[in-house]
Structures are given as structure tokens and as C-alpha cells.
Amino acid sequence: MQYSQLSTRICVPYAVSLQPKTTWNSPKFNNEKSVGHCTRVPRNVNMEKLQSGYLFPEICMREFEHSQKYPQAGLIRLGVGDTTEPIPDIITSAMAEHAHALSTVQGYRGYGAEQGNMALRKAIAETFYRDVGVKADEVFVSDGAQCDISRLQMLMGPNVSVAVQDPSFPGYIDSSVIVGQSGMFQDENGKYENIVYMKCGRENNFFPDLSNTSRTDIIFFCSPNNPTGYAASRQQLKQLVEFAKANGSIIVYDSAYATYISDESPRSIFEIPGAKEVAIEVSSFSKFAGFTGVRLGWTVVPEELLYLNGFPVIKDYNRIVCTCFNGASSVVQAGGLACLSKDGYRALIAVVDYYMGNAGIIADAFTSLGRKVYGGKNAPYLWVHFPGMSSWDIFSEILEKTHIVTVPGRGFGPGGEEYIRVSAFGQRERILEASRRLKNLYK
Amino acid sequence: MQYSQLSTRICVPYAVSLQPKTTWNSPKFNNEKSVGHCTRVPRNVNMEKLQSGYLFPEICMREFEHSQKYPQAGLIRLGVGDTTEPIPDIITSAMAEHAHALSTVQGYRGYGAEQGNMALRKAIAETFYRDVGVKADEVFVSDGAQCDISRLQMLMGPNVSVAVQDPSFPGYIDSSVIVGQSGMFQDENGKYENIVYMKCGRENNFFPDLSNTSRTDIIFFCSPNNPTGYAASRQQLKQLVEFAKANGSIIVYDSAYATYISDESPRSIFEIPGAKEVAIEVSSFSKFAGFTGVRLGWTVVPEELLYLNGFPVIKDYNRIVCTCFNGASSVVQAGGLACLSKDGYRALIAVVDYYMGNAGIIADAFTSLGRKVYGGKNAPYLWVHFPGMSSWDIFSEILEKTHIVTVPGRGFGPGGEEYIRVSAFGQRERILEASRRLKNLYK
């Protein structure tokens, strides 16, 4: 079958597939004259500021090398947070039906609206924002949250100041570096000079100390947080919105894991009164619907959100979407609409519950080792503390002894040191096997 | 059926759907204090430099208004170059099969490689670049050429100088403005101060006079050109490559219409010896496979292409793809693979031939009016000359008298004045009707 010809990310890490690596790592690179024709185009100074490899390809590479070394070890991947369970049939059938229709005169459609099909924009508004007054026109459908974050960075441009949670998903900082907001990387503290790192550790219950946080134009805030798994409470988000309002900041709120929230924590920043004047929300079908490879997300830009000069942010964002993007795949959007049907949504919540069952099993395993485990209650990630240890060392030890891939906390910022992130995405049988191996880690 | 719930671009132009427009056009906007809370975030100065609306949404808006005014007129859309013919079943079946497989334990796949599935990258390399030595590792699969152009702009950053064909697809200039390369717009000549406009008119056979063209870091070059429909000859492209090499420039070559070439013109810049040291090629399944709404494209970045300091461009582009993008939809990539199968490709070429049949019919109609028609031989666009007339006036006259939507040449740059672009995408019956109406234009 054709899908079997499609390689997945874990099988062909780019750095491995792109041979010969020596093209740019060889001595030739140190001697410009010997590399043949060079253009006179300067390398983008912002690209030069990026540190080492992007985290997940790096993990992918180490995973690949490990599996080459131990081909029979039965590697268990709890690293990159990649969904593993089949997508409910009601959803894939909608995609298949849409695809087949494209072969008919009646069903063929070309370009869709750049902002997404109105039926899907309405369904997103009604499903996720019914009680908070987000309109369909404020919802921009996309090919995923990571892509939207970069589009938002293009929107904001190089001359804004930025704050991020520390630790947080590396895409915020890396895209910030690429558009030129970050300043230089400082080896002494592992931070970019112009980025404000809001420490979110066990000391402050994984919520930043806003009274000691400098004002920035943009505040990236992810809740439930990737990697800590911590969902901010209503009271905390009220503080955040007040802080943004007092400072005239814009919050870019990433709610990609909101459907995993099991307690009363808000699932959207727009549950907080006044948030529409200070926040953009980015979200995704990836983890909620198993769409990591299918690609679908959305961004809400409220009409009330205004720049300093009173100009509506939504108008510029619309321009970005029309110029730099051209709409999510129509086939995929048909699947997204099915996700939000009554039966589709119910089926997906069952999958979410399944992953959260996994989270409990893994949490128990680490707890049995005497480790303090955070997260795993409102998010499919566990954030496990190894006091005094380097996170890459923890990563390597666990990989070597148990053949389980995790993510070193350091990959999410300096505040991630001493931690690893463990993903709860996995088939139950593999999760149980991981649990058995982990329990024997120190035996 | 679900697909029928999906609105198409032509039905819901954004500027219409986003009510109330007065949010930003009202007097309120001129009086900052009355619009409620303004953040203290400055609007991106580059966004401020963008002129009026993006062309295609603007056309879409006028089309919408016209159809409101004449609901019974039987509007014929030869404006936005949107495919109209059903996608061959072999291709949509591959997408449907992939979608269904995602509901099975064996067939489920999460994240794919950010650069695209290797099977598809190989198929692209073999189908389009077999004789010119492009490797699969140099092919980056994407969600479309327009998106790739913006990613390339992020890659290059604000400090490069840029040349474009005049006229050309507006996405090059608009994305250039957004990342900060353009300087200010100059009302007196309709150009951005820092962009080099390479005039491509009938005077120079639609190929720029390179002996009078200033050196820039980047040269956007589209062949077959959108909108003129002109495909550069081998000799001309040799000149272009030599020009780039002598100047140390990088050509961003857009070959989105290459499958429409019917003569000996090169279908890829890489057919020209030495091009791998000076060019990137962007291409697309949109017009070739009817994937305008399905979304799939690719970009080739040769390993030989180096910045001034000898650093390989491919390495930075890979970083952009990993950080700012996350791979094209797996479902869509399965369709792309089927497009490049022997039967899929043959079926698609039949559709291309059908559209080119349309082009001949429309060309005859304009010729019968005494108009000189360019293009339409190697591209699905006709470029029709109306000496001494404003292109928006031609657009409006044709729309008003024949209810046919075209695109005013001015939308593609100052060099497009006196022309309209007419798309050959359409069902034959509608094209024949358009031909009848056009022949009566002056009666």
C-alpha cells in the first residue's frame, strides 16, 4: 500500500539522510577558496545566531544512532511528543470522502479561503470558544501551531521585545532568533541577550514571578505547558492578563494541549475577562486529534487587539495569511470538521483519556524510583526531576540502560536543567514495557 | 456530503466576511483614544509599507461585488488562476487510501520528516530532475510555492537586495516588503525604492535586458512567467545564470508552470550548466495536478549553493523548514506520490493539454478583436495588450460588459500596465461561452 512507502520522521533523521555531511563540516568549509563558486550573498546574521541543531532533529539523530548500535533492543520512543493511536474512522472517512469528491465534477474545489473554510472556522469557534465570544472571523485555520508561530513572528517583525517561559517549547525562541528579535546568544547563561526568560520551576509552582518580570512587547505563554505539563490556574491567568494589560503587551497563548486539561484550569486565555484586548491564541489538532502528520491548527486574533497606534492586529495578520500562506489543505480541513462533529469529538476524547492513562502508568514508574514527577495531570507530558544531574546525562543514562528515548529538559531552556520530559503518547503495551524497564533502572 | 459544506475562496472573500470593516476603517481609527485599550506594541514598520490589498483578495472582492450586482449574469472566472478540472481518480484514491490507513494500527503515522517523505522526494528528483543531477536530499517538500517563497524570505532576511521581473507574481515583492528588504513605496513610479524591477515587456521579448540590470543578492525569476506566460529560452537562461554567477547572486527560480511548456524551453533552471551554484528552484503541484486547494509544492536547494562565507544555503534552509514548518500533510504527500506514478502523470498531462486547448480558444477570441495576445503557448495564461489603456479600466470594462473576471496587469507591477492576464483554467463549455461573449465585446 502506498502509505507504507512513506517514511516517518523517526526513520530518516535529516542529518543522517543528508550525506555527505562533510559538505559543510569538512575542512573545506574553513577555507573559502577551496569550496568552489561562492555567491556574494551574505548569510543571514540572524541564522548565524541560532544555536546548534534544532532540538527534535537532534533527539531524532541520537535515537537513530542508538538503534543502529542496539538494533534488537526494542527502542521505546517517549521523546518527541508524537501521537501513536489510530485516528477515529469517522474522521479519516471524511478526509477520504473529500479526496474522492475531488475526482468528480461536482465535488472538485480549487483554492479555498486563505483563512480556512468558514464551516470549519465556525465549528472551531463554537467548539472551543462558545462561551467566550470568539467569532468565526477571528479564527484563522492553518497547517499547525508551529507554522503559525513563525507567521506571528513575521507579523511582529524584528523590533519587538519578547518574553518566554523557561522552560518552553524551543520554537518560540528559535523563530524569534530567525526574525531578529533575540540579540546574541550568551554562553555564560545559555540565554539570548534580548529575550526575557520567565523561570517556571517547582520553586514558583511552574508559573512565572510576574512581579519580577520585565515588560516586553510579546509574551509567549503555553498552557498546559510544554514541557512541564503544568496548566495555569484561572487566578494565575488573570494575573497574566492584568500584567499584559498594564504593560501594553501582547500574549501569544499556545493552547495546543488544552483538551488534555482534566481540572478546572481554563482551556483558553479568552476565558479570562479582558483577554481579547491583549492576547492571540494559537492551537492545534495535532495532539488532540492525532493530526501530527496530517497537519491542522488555528490561530485566534481578536478584533479588539490593537497596536500602539490603534491599528487592528487582525488586519495585518490577515495580510500575512494571504501573502505568506495559502490555506490549509482542503482534504485536511474536511477531517478537521469531522473532528468537531459530536461523534468525532467524543471519539477523540476517548483517545485523550487513553494517553492520560499512559501518563499515570509512567508517573507511577518514576515515583517508584523515588523521583518527583510533575505534569501528567493536565497534559500528556511528565516532567521528572533528577536533582543535581545534567539533563543530557539523564537522557543518555535512560537511553543506554532502558532503551527509552526521552527529552533532556535543557533542550527547553536553561530552566529545564535537572529534568527530563517524558511523553505519554504510546501504545499501552509499550508504555507498560517502558514502566517495567524504568522500575529496574537502578537495579 | 461534507465537502459541500466547505466554502471556496470565491464565495467568501475575506474582506467581505470580516464584518464590521469599520473596525479599522472607521473614524475611530483616526482617534486612538476612542478605540478602547491599545497595546504598547508598535505595528511592524514593514507591514506598514505594504500597499493596499493583496491582489487576489482584491479581485475576489470585486468579483463578489459584481455577482451581487448581477446575480443572474453567469459570471465566468478567468481571474485568479484556479484549476477547475477534477483530479484523476488514481491520485485522489491514493489520498483516500492513506487517510483510511490512519485509522488502523498498522497504517497510523504521526510526524513525518519535516523535509518530506523520502519516497516523494525521490520521485520528484526522478520525475523532474533526472538528467540534471538534483538529489532527493536537495528536494524539500512543502505546502506550496507561495509558502516556500516566504520561507525563503525568512531565510535570506532583511539585509539582501532583490530583483524581480516586472511584471511578476506579487508574492515576491510583498514577502520582500514584509521581511524588510524593500524600502519605501514610491508613489511617483509605483515601485519600492530598494527593489530592482527587471522590465519584461514586448519590447524585449519578455526577457530582461541584463546588460542594464543592477546587481542584487537575490533574483526572483519565474518561467514560464506568471503573468506573461512567457517561457525563457535555453539561451536566455544561460545568460541569466552567467549574470548571476558574475554578480555572485542567487536566483530564486519559480517553475510552478513548467509542465505547461510545449516547446524546447527548459523546464528547470538546473538544465543550465552551473545553475546549481547559483539557483534555488521553487515549484508546485497546484497547477500541474489541480492541487490548488490540496496544497503541495517543493523547493530544491542544491548543496553547491554557498553564501559569501562558504556556508551552504541548504543547511540554513533545512533549519528554517524544521523550525518554521513541520512538513506537508502526509495525506497530501500520498497524493503527490501518486501524481508521479506513470499512470498518474499521464492522466495529469491530459488535463494540462485540456487547459492548453482552452488557451487556444481564448487567444482566438482576443485576436478576433484585433488584440495582440502573448503567452498561452507555454503557460495557461494569456497576456493581452490594450495599448494606451489602464489595466484596471480594461478589467472593469470586460467585467461589466461580458461578466468575465480577468486580472489587471497593473496588479503584477508597473510593467503590467496596458495588459490583462486571462486564465485558461476553466470548464470547456464556460471557456466557449467566454469566447462568444468576448467576440461581442465591441458590438
Side-chain angles (χ1 to χ4, degrees):
Chain A
M1 291 204 282
Q2 287 213 315
Y3 62 83
S4 67
Q5 300 171 23
L6 300 169
S7 57
T8 59
R9 179 167 301 178
I10 50 174
C11 302
V12 189
Y14 180 70
V16 173
S17 71
L18 189 70
Q19 292 298 345
K21 277 177 68 182
T22 49
T23 308
W24 50 75
N25 287 329
S26 71
K28 277 187 181 177
F29 178 58
N30 296 321
N31 182 355
E32 293 178 22
K33 296 197 172 55
S34 67
V35 286
H37 172 83
C38 291
T39 64
R40 284 166 52 200
V41 178
R43 186 180 177 207
N44 184 341
V45 291
N46 297 321
M47 295 301 297
E48 282 179 7
K49 292 175 192 159
L50 280 171
Q51 294 304 298
S52 65
Y54 184 68
L55 176 64
F56 296 109
E58 176 66 29
I59 304 275
C60 176
M61 171 78 122
R62 298 212 185 194
E63 184 179 308
F64 180 80
E65 286 170 356
H66 186 82
S67 60
Q68 296 282 302
K69 189 172 162 192
Y70 302 106
Q72 307 299 328
L75 194 73
I76 299 177
R77 296 180 182 89
L78 308 180
V80 176
D82 196 3
T83 47
T84 57
E85 297 311 293
I87 298 171
D89 183 63
I90 185 173
I91 296 159
T92 57
S93 292
M95 288 193 276
E97 187 186 352
H98 183 88
H100 281 308
L102 293 174
S103 284
T104 67
V105 172
Q106 299 76 17
Y108 181 74
R109 295 286 183 281
Y111 286 119
E114 295 94 337
Q115 302 84 6
N117 294 309
M118 192 44 81
L120 180 55
R121 298 169 81 189
K122 282 183 180 160
I124 290 170
E126 285 185 15
T127 305
F128 299 107
Y129 304 106
R130 192 179 342 198
D131 302 326
V132 298
V134 168
K135 288 176 274 191
D137 287 335
E138 297 171 316
V139 175
F140 293 80
V141 175
S142 77
D143 60 336
Q146 185 168 334
C147 313
D148 275 349
I149 287 161
S150 284
R151 282 185 281 264
L152 287 168
Q153 296 282 23
M154 285 190 93
L155 172 78
M156 300 300 178
N159 297 318
V160 296
S161 54
V162 164
V164 297
Q165 288 160 292
D166 179 25
S168 67
F169 172 65
Y172 311 132
I173 287 179
D174 284 3
S175 59
S176 188
V177 175
I178 290 171
V179 296
Q181 301 159 352
S182 68
M184 298 302 290
F185 186 75
Q186 304 164 117
D187 284 322
E188 63 275 23
N189 63 6
K191 299 179 180 180
Y192 285 92
E193 59 181 332
N194 297 340
I195 290 180
V196 171
Y197 291 72
M198 303 184 296
K199 184 74 185 286
C200 296
R202 63 194 178 287
E203 311 78 21
N204 54 12
N205 200 19
F206 299 100
F207 186 80
D209 176 4
L210 296 175
S211 65
N212 282 315
T213 300
S214 307
R215 188 238 167 227
T216 57
D217 292 313
I218 309 297
I219 302 168
F220 282 101
F221 199 93
C222 179
S223 181
N225 181 270
N226 174 8
T228 70
Y230 183 79
S233 69
R234 193 168 305 270
Q235 191 52 40
Q236 288 171 330
L237 291 181
K238 277 185 186 169
Q239 282 173 36
L240 182 68
V241 167
E242 281 165 22
F243 177 77
K245 199 150 189 173
N247 284 326
S249 305
I250 293 176
I251 301 164
V252 175
Y253 190 83
D254 184 341
S255 66
Y257 296 92
T259 46
Y260 286 85
I261 292 177
S262 63
D263 64 14
E264 295 304 303
S265 304
R267 294 173 179 221
S268 163
I269 190 68
F270 299 120
E271 292 186 33
I272 309 303
K276 290 187 79 180
E277 294 184 344
V278 299
I280 288 167
E281 184 162 303
V282 176
S283 204
S284 175
F285 285 80
S286 287
K287 309 302 162 89
F288 150 60
F291 269 30
T292 49
V294 173
R295 312 302 309 142
L296 195 66
W298 73 90
T299 287
V300 174
V301 184
E303 290 179 356
E304 292 91 330
L305 186 69
L306 307 175
Y307 288 118
L308 176 63
N309 66 355
F311 194 86
V313 176
I314 190 173
K315 195 175 182 193
D316 273 355
Y317 190 64
N318 183 60
R319 190 71 188 266
I320 290 282
V321 165
C322 291
T323 306
C324 305
F325 183 56
N326 216 336
S329 172
S330 62
V331 180
V332 173
Q333 290 191 68
L337 202 53
C339 289
L340 304 183
S341 68
K342 198 174 162 188
D343 289 344
Y345 194 83
R346 191 188 299 125
L348 290 174
I349 292 303
V351 181
V352 165
D353 290 344
Y354 175 92
Y355 289 134
M356 292 309 284
N358 288 347
I361 293 166
I362 304 168
D364 287 348
F366 280 107
T367 303
S368 79
L369 293 175
R371 294 297 167 194
K372 180 71 183 157
V373 177
Y374 301 95
K377 297 214 160 45
N378 286 323
Y381 295 128
L382 300 118
W383 187 238
V384 191
H385 192 206
F386 291 76
M389 286 182 70
S390 137
S391 66
W392 275 107
D393 286 349
I394 313 163
F395 168 87
S396 298
E397 183 184 0
I398 291 178
L399 181 60
E400 192 66 29
K401 289 189 180 166
T402 69
H403 309 293
I404 296 172
V405 181
T406 60
V407 184
R410 186 63 185 77
F412 299 100
E417 205 49 287
E418 300 191 354
Y419 290 88
I420 54 164
R421 190 194 77 173
V422 187
S423 159
F425 295 116
Q427 288 161 4
R428 183 60 51 86
E429 176 196 327
R430 304 293 289 158
I431 295 293
L432 289 168
E433 170 63 16
S435 168
R436 279 188 288 273
R437 293 187 196 172
L438 285 168
K439 286 177 176 169
N440 288 318
L441 178 62
Y442 298 128
K443 285 184 182 164
Chain B
M1 290 203 282
Q2 288 212 315
Y3 63 82
S4 68
Q5 299 170 23
L6 299 169
S7 57
T8 58
R9 181 168 301 180
I10 50 172
C11 302
V12 190
Y14 179 69
V16 174
S17 73
L18 190 71
Q19 293 298 345
K21 278 176 69 184
T22 49
T23 308
W24 51 75
N25 286 328
S26 70
K28 278 187 180 176
F29 178 56
N30 296 322
N31 180 355
E32 292 178 21
K33 295 197 171 56
S34 67
V35 286
H37 172 84
C38 291
T39 65
R40 283 167 50 199
V41 178
R43 186 179 175 206
N44 184 341
V45 291
N46 297 322
M47 295 300 296
E48 283 179 7
K49 291 175 192 158
L50 280 171
Q51 293 305 297
S52 65
Y54 184 68
L55 176 64
F56 295 109
E58 176 66 27
I59 304 277
C60 176
M61 170 77 119
R62 299 212 185 195
E63 183 178 309
F64 180 80
E65 286 169 354
H66 186 82
S67 59
Q68 296 281 303
K69 189 172 162 191
Y70 301 106
Q72 306 301 327
L75 194 74
I76 299 178
R77 296 180 181 87
L78 307 179
V80 176
D82 195 4
T83 47
T84 57
E85 296 312 292
I87 299 170
D89 183 63
I90 185 173
I91 295 159
T92 57
S93 292
M95 289 193 274
E97 189 186 350
H98 183 88
H100 281 307
L102 292 173
S103 284
T104 67
V105 172
Q106 299 78 15
Y108 182 76
R109 295 288 184 280
Y111 286 118
E114 294 93 337
Q115 303 83 6
N117 294 309
M118 192 45 81
L120 179 56
R121 298 170 79 189
K122 281 183 180 159
I124 290 169
E126 286 184 16
T127 306
F128 300 105
Y129 306 106
R130 193 177 342 200
D131 302 325
V132 298
V134 167
K135 289 177 273 192
D137 287 335
E138 296 171 315
V139 175
F140 294 80
V141 176
S142 76
D143 59 335
Q146 184 167 335
C147 312
D148 275 350
I149 286 161
S150 285
R151 281 186 281 266
L152 288 167
Q153 295 283 23
M154 284 190 93
L155 171 79
M156 299 299 177
N159 298 318
V160 296
S161 53
V162 164
V164 297
Q165 288 160 292
D166 178 25
S168 68
F169 172 64
Y172 311 132
I173 287 180
D174 284 3
S175 60
S176 188
V177 175
I178 290 171
V179 297
Q181 300 160 350
S182 67
M184 298 303 291
F185 186 76
Q186 304 164 119
D187 284 321
E188 63 274 21
N189 62 6
K191 297 179 180 180
Y192 285 92
E193 59 180 330
N194 298 339
I195 291 180
V196 171
Y197 291 71
M198 304 184 295
K199 184 76 185 288
C200 296
R202 62 196 178 285
E203 311 80 18
N204 54 13
N205 201 17
F206 299 100
F207 186 80
D209 176 6
L210 296 175
S211 65
N212 282 315
T213 300
S214 307
R215 187 237 168 231
T216 56
D217 292 313
I218 310 298
I219 302 168
F220 283 101
F221 198 94
C222 179
S223 180
N225 181 271
N226 174 8
T228 70
Y230 183 80
S233 70
R234 193 168 306 271
Q235 191 52 39
Q236 288 172 330
L237 290 181
K238 276 184 185 167
Q239 282 175 34
L240 181 67
V241 167
E242 280 165 22
F243 178 76
K245 200 151 190 173
N247 284 325
S249 305
I250 294 177
I251 301 164
V252 176
Y253 190 83
D254 183 342
S255 66
Y257 296 91
T259 44
Y260 286 85
I261 292 176
S262 63
D263 64 15
E264 294 303 304
S265 306
R267 294 173 180 222
S268 163
I269 189 69
F270 300 119
E271 291 186 34
I272 309 303
K276 291 187 81 181
E277 294 184 344
V278 299
I280 289 168
E281 183 161 305
V282 176
S283 203
S284 175
F285 285 81
S286 287
K287 309 302 164 90
F288 150 59
F291 270 27
T292 48
V294 173
R295 312 301 310 143
L296 194 66
W298 72 89
T299 287
V300 175
V301 184
E303 290 179 356
E304 292 91 330
L305 186 68
L306 307 174
Y307 287 118
L308 175 64
N309 66 355
F311 193 86
V313 176
I314 189 174
K315 196 176 182 194
D316 274 353
Y317 191 64
N318 183 61
R319 189 71 187 267
I320 291 281
V321 165
C322 290
T323 306
C324 305
F325 183 56
N326 216 336
S329 172
S330 62
V331 180
V332 173
Q333 290 191 68
L337 202 53
C339 289
L340 304 183
S341 67
K342 196 173 164 189
D343 290 344
Y345 194 83
R346 190 187 301 125
L348 289 174
I349 293 302
V351 181
V352 165
D353 290 344
Y354 175 92
Y355 289 135
M356 292 309 283
N358 288 347
I361 294 166
I362 304 168
D364 288 346
F366 280 106
T367 304
S368 79
L369 294 175
R371 295 297 168 193
K372 179 74 182 156
V373 177
Y374 301 94
K377 298 215 161 45
N378 286 324
Y381 295 128
L382 300 118
W383 188 237
V384 190
H385 193 205
F386 292 74
M389 285 183 71
S390 138
S391 65
W392 275 108
D393 286 348
I394 312 164
F395 168 87
S396 298
E397 182 183 0
I398 291 178
L399 181 59
E400 193 67 27
K401 291 189 181 167
T402 69
H403 309 294
I404 296 173
V405 182
T406 61
V407 185
R410 186 63 186 74
F412 300 100
E417 204 50 283
E418 301 190 354
Y419 290 89
I420 55 165
R421 189 193 79 174
V422 186
S423 159
F425 295 116
Q427 288 161 5
R428 182 60 53 87
E429 173 198 330
R430 304 292 290 156
I431 296 292
L432 290 167
E433 169 63 17
S435 168
R436 278 188 290 272
R437 292 187 197 173
L438 285 168
K439 285 176 178 171
N440 289 318
L441 178 63
Y442 299 127
K443 284 182 186 168

